[in-house]
Amino acid sequence: MGETRGGKRWNFGANEVVELSCSQNVRYFLNLLADNLDRSDSRPVIPLGHGDPSPFPSYRTDPSAVEAVCDALRSAQFNHYSTTSGLPIARKAVAEYLSRGLTYQICPNDVHLTAGCHHAIDVLMSTLAVPGANILLPRPSYPMYDSRAAFSQLEIRRYDLLPENGWEVDLDAVEALADEKTAAILVINPCNPCGNVFSRQHLQKIAETASKLGVLVIADEVYKDITFGETPFVSMAEFADIVPVMLLGSISKRWCVPGWRFGWMATLDPHNIMKDSGLVHSLANVLNMSTDPTTFIQGAIPDILEKTKEEFFSSVLETLRECSESCYEEIKKIPCITCPYKPEASMFTMVKLELSVLEDIKDDLEFCCKLAKEESLIILPGRSVGLKNWLRITFAVEPELLKDGLSRLNKFAQRHSKKKQQP
């Protein structure tokens, strides 16, 4: 730190922790790939690198949600500052929404509202980052957890999700990694980036393992309503009697409005373990030092959660199901990638890159950079989610655009294949 110019020393400079942390998130790689695009290519860029379908007509949010926001704004009742953890009417609405389908009711006082799930991750990582603590994160994972844990100087220990077992948690590895300084384990279900849904039996085993180790379960359930396969979604909230659960979610994906920045944390703690340890109090103090979701969105939330038409959700799910099927089938035709598990949830699938059949490509990052340059197609390299020489593909776009994107991917793979197809 510090730089000398013209004989004078300035006492500031780059923050190495920030630089390292920033290199572990999706935006870093999306910006890198965008820099590799060929600006002379007249074809539209196809974005299969991140899960934001909101620009596409098939995913446009329900008009009733838009009306709820407009009504909240016009009322002039939500121009004030928010209270800590959010407005009571919004906390109550979220608690009722999360309680649907559960065997018990979540208390509004246990719900803490955030400016999207990213904000919830920020707050939670800051709260857990006591000196010497570590956290168990999955591999592959949603990389914002890695970035914020690294920024908070919380030691990261990675356990594997097993593709040969439907991307289930390697529980033996979890037990081997944990020690008396392990604060929490992250469980993302339905899974971003793998597209799987954990069974009730597997979730119970995770809860029992976490209880045995004395660690908090962070349950990221952002995609809880984005399922279209045979495995039914079960919330980790059902196992809060076994282990304390910090439940994270948002409206970003189900309502296709990530720009509205509204999420939550719910402290599910029937035995008061989090409360008695002081964690809940520390969480509230971090929230006191933090920002809030905009009050007019909070004011709209009761109507958004209650009045959005079921036809909207059904239409989006049907489009995603169709696109996931198409993605899975088209991937089978591409010589250099394999998909070990048919996606049944979220907006993504993970595919393994077979470098041995390619020439002049050494790894997943080079593959994606050249793909961007040659085909104006953005796909995320697996290293961005913790798994080198894999790819994360999103299918949450218009069906015809997905078809075009996978066609470009196939052409690229054929062009760089050691065994090029004969014309």
mmCIF file with all atom_site columns, all heavy atoms in Angstrom, residues 2 9 28 50 77 81 137 150 154 182 194 196 207 223 239 329:
data_model
loop_
_atom_site.group_PDB
_atom_site.id
_atom_site.type_symbol
_atom_site.label_atom_id
_atom_site.label_alt_id
_atom_site.label_comp_id
_atom_site.label_asym_id
_atom_site.label_entity_id
_atom_site.label_seq_id
_atom_site.pdbx_PDB_ins_code
_atom_site.Cartn_x
_atom_site.Cartn_y
_atom_site.Cartn_z
_atom_site.occupancy
_atom_site.B_iso_or_equiv
_atom_site.pdbx_formal_charge
_atom_site.auth_seq_id
_atom_site.auth_comp_id
_atom_site.auth_asym_id
_atom_site.auth_atom_id
_atom_site.pdbx_PDB_model_num
ATOM 1   N N   . GLY A 1 2   ? 0.410   2.247   -0.726  1.00 0.00 ? 2   GLY A N   1
ATOM 2   C CA  . GLY A 1 2   ? 1.177   3.476   -0.780  1.00 0.00 ? 2   GLY A CA  1
ATOM 3   C C   . GLY A 1 2   ? 1.971   3.581   -2.068  1.00 0.00 ? 2   GLY A C   1
ATOM 4   O O   . GLY A 1 2   ? 2.466   2.593   -2.586  1.00 0.00 ? 2   GLY A O   1
ATOM 5   N N   . ARG A 1 9   ? 4.888   10.600  -1.060  1.00 0.00 ? 9   ARG A N   1
ATOM 6   C CA  . ARG A 1 9   ? 4.242   9.313   -0.816  1.00 0.00 ? 9   ARG A CA  1
ATOM 7   C C   . ARG A 1 9   ? 2.765   9.523   -0.506  1.00 0.00 ? 9   ARG A C   1
ATOM 8   O O   . ARG A 1 9   ? 2.396   10.345  0.333   1.00 0.00 ? 9   ARG A O   1
ATOM 9   C CB  . ARG A 1 9   ? 4.909   8.595   0.370   1.00 0.00 ? 9   ARG A CB  1
ATOM 10  C CG  . ARG A 1 9   ? 4.236   7.283   0.754   1.00 0.00 ? 9   ARG A CG  1
ATOM 11  C CD  . ARG A 1 9   ? 4.916   6.618   1.931   1.00 0.00 ? 9   ARG A CD  1
ATOM 12  N NE  . ARG A 1 9   ? 4.179   5.451   2.376   1.00 0.00 ? 9   ARG A NE  1
ATOM 13  C CZ  . ARG A 1 9   ? 4.254   4.245   1.829   1.00 0.00 ? 9   ARG A CZ  1
ATOM 14  N NH1 . ARG A 1 9   ? 5.062   4.048   0.794   1.00 0.00 ? 9   ARG A NH1 1
ATOM 15  N NH2 . ARG A 1 9   ? 3.544   3.233   2.303   1.00 0.00 ? 9   ARG A NH2 1
ATOM 16  N N   . TYR A 1 28  ? -17.181 -10.926 -12.761 1.00 0.00 ? 28  TYR A N   1
ATOM 17  C CA  . TYR A 1 28  ? -15.786 -10.847 -13.205 1.00 0.00 ? 28  TYR A CA  1
ATOM 18  C C   . TYR A 1 28  ? -15.612 -11.619 -14.512 1.00 0.00 ? 28  TYR A C   1
ATOM 19  O O   . TYR A 1 28  ? -15.009 -11.126 -15.479 1.00 0.00 ? 28  TYR A O   1
ATOM 20  C CB  . TYR A 1 28  ? -14.863 -11.398 -12.116 1.00 0.00 ? 28  TYR A CB  1
ATOM 21  C CG  . TYR A 1 28  ? -13.431 -11.584 -12.555 1.00 0.00 ? 28  TYR A CG  1
ATOM 22  C CD1 . TYR A 1 28  ? -12.524 -10.525 -12.505 1.00 0.00 ? 28  TYR A CD1 1
ATOM 23  C CD2 . TYR A 1 28  ? -12.973 -12.816 -13.028 1.00 0.00 ? 28  TYR A CD2 1
ATOM 24  C CE1 . TYR A 1 28  ? -11.207 -10.682 -12.919 1.00 0.00 ? 28  TYR A CE1 1
ATOM 25  C CE2 . TYR A 1 28  ? -11.661 -12.985 -13.437 1.00 0.00 ? 28  TYR A CE2 1
ATOM 26  C CZ  . TYR A 1 28  ? -10.777 -11.919 -13.381 1.00 0.00 ? 28  TYR A CZ  1
ATOM 27  O OH  . TYR A 1 28  ? -9.481  -12.088 -13.799 1.00 0.00 ? 28  TYR A OH  1
ATOM 28  N N   . HIS A 1 50  ? -25.594 -16.238 -17.597 1.00 0.00 ? 50  HIS A N   1
ATOM 29  C CA  . HIS A 1 50  ? -26.123 -15.857 -16.290 1.00 0.00 ? 50  HIS A CA  1
ATOM 30  C C   . HIS A 1 50  ? -27.645 -15.972 -16.283 1.00 0.00 ? 50  HIS A C   1
ATOM 31  O O   . HIS A 1 50  ? -28.290 -15.935 -17.338 1.00 0.00 ? 50  HIS A O   1
ATOM 32  C CB  . HIS A 1 50  ? -25.686 -14.444 -15.896 1.00 0.00 ? 50  HIS A CB  1
ATOM 33  C CG  . HIS A 1 50  ? -26.275 -13.353 -16.735 1.00 0.00 ? 50  HIS A CG  1
ATOM 34  N ND1 . HIS A 1 50  ? -25.989 -13.212 -18.072 1.00 0.00 ? 50  HIS A ND1 1
ATOM 35  C CD2 . HIS A 1 50  ? -27.126 -12.348 -16.424 1.00 0.00 ? 50  HIS A CD2 1
ATOM 36  C CE1 . HIS A 1 50  ? -26.638 -12.164 -18.543 1.00 0.00 ? 50  HIS A CE1 1
ATOM 37  N NE2 . HIS A 1 50  ? -27.338 -11.622 -17.575 1.00 0.00 ? 50  HIS A NE2 1
ATOM 38  N N   . GLN A 1 77  ? -47.125 6.294   1.021   1.00 0.00 ? 77  GLN A N   1
ATOM 39  C CA  . GLN A 1 77  ? -46.968 5.783   2.384   1.00 0.00 ? 77  GLN A CA  1
ATOM 40  C C   . GLN A 1 77  ? -45.626 5.084   2.608   1.00 0.00 ? 77  GLN A C   1
ATOM 41  O O   . GLN A 1 77  ? -45.332 4.665   3.730   1.00 0.00 ? 77  GLN A O   1
ATOM 42  C CB  . GLN A 1 77  ? -48.109 4.798   2.692   1.00 0.00 ? 77  GLN A CB  1
ATOM 43  C CG  . GLN A 1 77  ? -49.477 5.420   2.710   1.00 0.00 ? 77  GLN A CG  1
ATOM 44  C CD  . GLN A 1 77  ? -50.565 4.396   2.973   1.00 0.00 ? 77  GLN A CD  1
ATOM 45  O OE1 . GLN A 1 77  ? -50.299 3.326   3.528   1.00 0.00 ? 77  GLN A OE1 1
ATOM 46  N NE2 . GLN A 1 77  ? -51.788 4.715   2.579   1.00 0.00 ? 77  GLN A NE2 1
ATOM 47  N N   . TYR A 1 81  ? -37.691 5.995   5.638   1.00 0.00 ? 81  TYR A N   1
ATOM 48  C CA  . TYR A 1 81  ? -36.686 4.970   5.914   1.00 0.00 ? 81  TYR A CA  1
ATOM 49  C C   . TYR A 1 81  ? -37.360 3.681   6.380   1.00 0.00 ? 81  TYR A C   1
ATOM 50  O O   . TYR A 1 81  ? -38.432 3.693   6.996   1.00 0.00 ? 81  TYR A O   1
ATOM 51  C CB  . TYR A 1 81  ? -35.730 5.424   7.015   1.00 0.00 ? 81  TYR A CB  1
ATOM 52  C CG  . TYR A 1 81  ? -34.709 6.457   6.599   1.00 0.00 ? 81  TYR A CG  1
ATOM 53  C CD1 . TYR A 1 81  ? -34.665 7.707   7.233   1.00 0.00 ? 81  TYR A CD1 1
ATOM 54  C CD2 . TYR A 1 81  ? -33.782 6.192   5.601   1.00 0.00 ? 81  TYR A CD2 1
ATOM 55  C CE1 . TYR A 1 81  ? -33.723 8.660   6.880   1.00 0.00 ? 81  TYR A CE1 1
ATOM 56  C CE2 . TYR A 1 81  ? -32.838 7.136   5.231   1.00 0.00 ? 81  TYR A CE2 1
ATOM 57  C CZ  . TYR A 1 81  ? -32.813 8.365   5.870   1.00 0.00 ? 81  TYR A CZ  1
ATOM 58  O OH  . TYR A 1 81  ? -31.888 9.302   5.514   1.00 0.00 ? 81  TYR A OH  1
ATOM 59  N N   . LEU A 1 137 ? -18.322 -24.639 1.957   1.00 0.00 ? 137 LEU A N   1
ATOM 60  C CA  . LEU A 1 137 ? -19.045 -24.268 0.744   1.00 0.00 ? 137 LEU A CA  1
ATOM 61  C C   . LEU A 1 137 ? -18.981 -25.418 -0.254  1.00 0.00 ? 137 LEU A C   1
ATOM 62  O O   . LEU A 1 137 ? -17.970 -26.115 -0.341  1.00 0.00 ? 137 LEU A O   1
ATOM 63  C CB  . LEU A 1 137 ? -18.443 -23.010 0.115   1.00 0.00 ? 137 LEU A CB  1
ATOM 64  C CG  . LEU A 1 137 ? -18.411 -21.747 0.977   1.00 0.00 ? 137 LEU A CG  1
ATOM 65  C CD1 . LEU A 1 137 ? -17.829 -20.586 0.175   1.00 0.00 ? 137 LEU A CD1 1
ATOM 66  C CD2 . LEU A 1 137 ? -19.807 -21.396 1.482   1.00 0.00 ? 137 LEU A CD2 1
ATOM 67  N N   . ALA A 1 150 ? -14.424 -14.655 1.260   1.00 0.00 ? 150 ALA A N   1
ATOM 68  C CA  . ALA A 1 150 ? -13.020 -14.254 1.111   1.00 0.00 ? 150 ALA A CA  1
ATOM 69  C C   . ALA A 1 150 ? -12.825 -12.801 1.511   1.00 0.00 ? 150 ALA A C   1
ATOM 70  O O   . ALA A 1 150 ? -11.847 -12.447 2.183   1.00 0.00 ? 150 ALA A O   1
ATOM 71  C CB  . ALA A 1 150 ? -12.566 -14.480 -0.334  1.00 0.00 ? 150 ALA A CB  1
ATOM 72  N N   . LEU A 1 154 ? -13.081 -14.953 5.953   1.00 0.00 ? 154 LEU A N   1
ATOM 73  C CA  . LEU A 1 154 ? -13.621 -16.168 6.527   1.00 0.00 ? 154 LEU A CA  1
ATOM 74  C C   . LEU A 1 154 ? -13.040 -17.328 5.735   1.00 0.00 ? 154 LEU A C   1
ATOM 75  O O   . LEU A 1 154 ? -13.188 -17.387 4.510   1.00 0.00 ? 154 LEU A O   1
ATOM 76  C CB  . LEU A 1 154 ? -15.152 -16.137 6.404   1.00 0.00 ? 154 LEU A CB  1
ATOM 77  C CG  . LEU A 1 154 ? -15.995 -17.239 7.023   1.00 0.00 ? 154 LEU A CG  1
ATOM 78  C CD1 . LEU A 1 154 ? -15.803 -17.307 8.531   1.00 0.00 ? 154 LEU A CD1 1
ATOM 79  C CD2 . LEU A 1 154 ? -17.471 -16.998 6.696   1.00 0.00 ? 154 LEU A CD2 1
ATOM 80  N N   . THR A 1 182 ? -15.464 -24.437 12.577  1.00 0.00 ? 182 THR A N   1
ATOM 81  C CA  . THR A 1 182 ? -16.415 -24.396 11.466  1.00 0.00 ? 182 THR A CA  1
ATOM 82  C C   . THR A 1 182 ? -17.731 -23.796 11.936  1.00 0.00 ? 182 THR A C   1
ATOM 83  O O   . THR A 1 182 ? -18.377 -24.335 12.833  1.00 0.00 ? 182 THR A O   1
ATOM 84  C CB  . THR A 1 182 ? -16.650 -25.799 10.884  1.00 0.00 ? 182 THR A CB  1
ATOM 85  O OG1 . THR A 1 182 ? -15.391 -26.372 10.499  1.00 0.00 ? 182 THR A OG1 1
ATOM 86  C CG2 . THR A 1 182 ? -17.568 -25.733 9.674   1.00 0.00 ? 182 THR A CG2 1
ATOM 87  N N   . CYS A 1 194 ? -26.091 -26.681 -10.592 1.00 0.00 ? 194 CYS A N   1
ATOM 88  C CA  . CYS A 1 194 ? -26.203 -28.036 -11.133 1.00 0.00 ? 194 CYS A CA  1
ATOM 89  C C   . CYS A 1 194 ? -27.588 -28.405 -11.633 1.00 0.00 ? 194 CYS A C   1
ATOM 90  O O   . CYS A 1 194 ? -27.739 -29.358 -12.400 1.00 0.00 ? 194 CYS A O   1
ATOM 91  C CB  . CYS A 1 194 ? -25.745 -29.055 -10.075 1.00 0.00 ? 194 CYS A CB  1
ATOM 92  S SG  . CYS A 1 194 ? -24.059 -28.781 -9.479  1.00 0.00 ? 194 CYS A SG  1
ATOM 93  N N   . ASN A 1 196 ? -30.114 -29.656 -9.893  1.00 0.00 ? 196 ASN A N   1
ATOM 94  C CA  . ASN A 1 196 ? -30.712 -30.807 -9.211  1.00 0.00 ? 196 ASN A CA  1
ATOM 95  C C   . ASN A 1 196 ? -31.541 -30.367 -8.010  1.00 0.00 ? 196 ASN A C   1
ATOM 96  O O   . ASN A 1 196 ? -31.453 -29.218 -7.557  1.00 0.00 ? 196 ASN A O   1
ATOM 97  C CB  . ASN A 1 196 ? -29.631 -31.785 -8.755  1.00 0.00 ? 196 ASN A CB  1
ATOM 98  C CG  . ASN A 1 196 ? -28.667 -31.155 -7.769  1.00 0.00 ? 196 ASN A CG  1
ATOM 99  O OD1 . ASN A 1 196 ? -27.973 -30.188 -8.094  1.00 0.00 ? 196 ASN A OD1 1
ATOM 100 N ND2 . ASN A 1 196 ? -28.608 -31.675 -6.560  1.00 0.00 ? 196 ASN A ND2 1
ATOM 101 N N   . ALA A 1 207 ? -28.836 -32.436 7.526   1.00 0.00 ? 207 ALA A N   1
ATOM 102 C CA  . ALA A 1 207 ? -29.194 -31.803 8.800   1.00 0.00 ? 207 ALA A CA  1
ATOM 103 C C   . ALA A 1 207 ? -28.596 -32.566 9.971   1.00 0.00 ? 207 ALA A C   1
ATOM 104 O O   . ALA A 1 207 ? -28.057 -31.963 10.916  1.00 0.00 ? 207 ALA A O   1
ATOM 105 C CB  . ALA A 1 207 ? -30.716 -31.728 8.928   1.00 0.00 ? 207 ALA A CB  1
ATOM 106 N N   . TYR A 1 223 ? -34.289 -20.785 -5.594  1.00 0.00 ? 223 TYR A N   1
ATOM 107 C CA  . TYR A 1 223 ? -34.990 -21.449 -6.704  1.00 0.00 ? 223 TYR A CA  1
ATOM 108 C C   . TYR A 1 223 ? -36.049 -22.434 -6.217  1.00 0.00 ? 223 TYR A C   1
ATOM 109 O O   . TYR A 1 223 ? -36.426 -23.356 -6.946  1.00 0.00 ? 223 TYR A O   1
ATOM 110 C CB  . TYR A 1 223 ? -33.973 -22.172 -7.588  1.00 0.00 ? 223 TYR A CB  1
ATOM 111 C CG  . TYR A 1 223 ? -33.131 -21.236 -8.416  1.00 0.00 ? 223 TYR A CG  1
ATOM 112 C CD1 . TYR A 1 223 ? -31.870 -20.824 -7.984  1.00 0.00 ? 223 TYR A CD1 1
ATOM 113 C CD2 . TYR A 1 223 ? -33.589 -20.737 -9.628  1.00 0.00 ? 223 TYR A CD2 1
ATOM 114 C CE1 . TYR A 1 223 ? -31.101 -19.958 -8.737  1.00 0.00 ? 223 TYR A CE1 1
ATOM 115 C CE2 . TYR A 1 223 ? -32.827 -19.870 -10.388 1.00 0.00 ? 223 TYR A CE2 1
ATOM 116 C CZ  . TYR A 1 223 ? -31.584 -19.485 -9.939  1.00 0.00 ? 223 TYR A CZ  1
ATOM 117 O OH  . TYR A 1 223 ? -30.838 -18.617 -10.701 1.00 0.00 ? 223 TYR A OH  1
ATOM 118 N N   . PHE A 1 239 ? -36.343 -29.255 8.785   1.00 0.00 ? 239 PHE A N   1
ATOM 119 C CA  . PHE A 1 239 ? -35.376 -29.940 9.651   1.00 0.00 ? 239 PHE A CA  1
ATOM 120 C C   . PHE A 1 239 ? -34.767 -29.007 10.691  1.00 0.00 ? 239 PHE A C   1
ATOM 121 O O   . PHE A 1 239 ? -33.738 -29.311 11.292  1.00 0.00 ? 239 PHE A O   1
ATOM 122 C CB  . PHE A 1 239 ? -34.279 -30.593 8.786   1.00 0.00 ? 239 PHE A CB  1
ATOM 123 C CG  . PHE A 1 239 ? -34.838 -31.504 7.740   1.00 0.00 ? 239 PHE A CG  1
ATOM 124 C CD1 . PHE A 1 239 ? -34.974 -31.073 6.426   1.00 0.00 ? 239 PHE A CD1 1
ATOM 125 C CD2 . PHE A 1 239 ? -35.267 -32.782 8.069   1.00 0.00 ? 239 PHE A CD2 1
ATOM 126 C CE1 . PHE A 1 239 ? -35.519 -31.909 5.466   1.00 0.00 ? 239 PHE A CE1 1
ATOM 127 C CE2 . PHE A 1 239 ? -35.807 -33.623 7.117   1.00 0.00 ? 239 PHE A CE2 1
ATOM 128 C CZ  . PHE A 1 239 ? -35.937 -33.190 5.803   1.00 0.00 ? 239 PHE A CZ  1
ATOM 129 N N   . GLU A 1 329 ? -31.041 -32.381 -24.560 1.00 0.00 ? 329 GLU A N   1
ATOM 130 C CA  . GLU A 1 329 ? -30.992 -33.199 -25.777 1.00 0.00 ? 329 GLU A CA  1
ATOM 131 C C   . GLU A 1 329 ? -29.963 -32.670 -26.769 1.00 0.00 ? 329 GLU A C   1
ATOM 132 O O   . GLU A 1 329 ? -29.240 -33.449 -27.408 1.00 0.00 ? 329 GLU A O   1
ATOM 133 C CB  . GLU A 1 329 ? -32.380 -33.251 -26.425 1.00 0.00 ? 329 GLU A CB  1
ATOM 134 C CG  . GLU A 1 329 ? -33.425 -34.006 -25.611 1.00 0.00 ? 329 GLU A CG  1
ATOM 135 C CD  . GLU A 1 329 ? -33.028 -35.452 -25.335 1.00 0.00 ? 329 GLU A CD  1
ATOM 136 O OE1 . GLU A 1 329 ? -32.441 -36.097 -26.237 1.00 0.00 ? 329 GLU A OE1 1
ATOM 137 O OE2 . GLU A 1 329 ? -33.282 -35.934 -24.214 1.00 0.00 ? 329 GLU A OE2 1
#
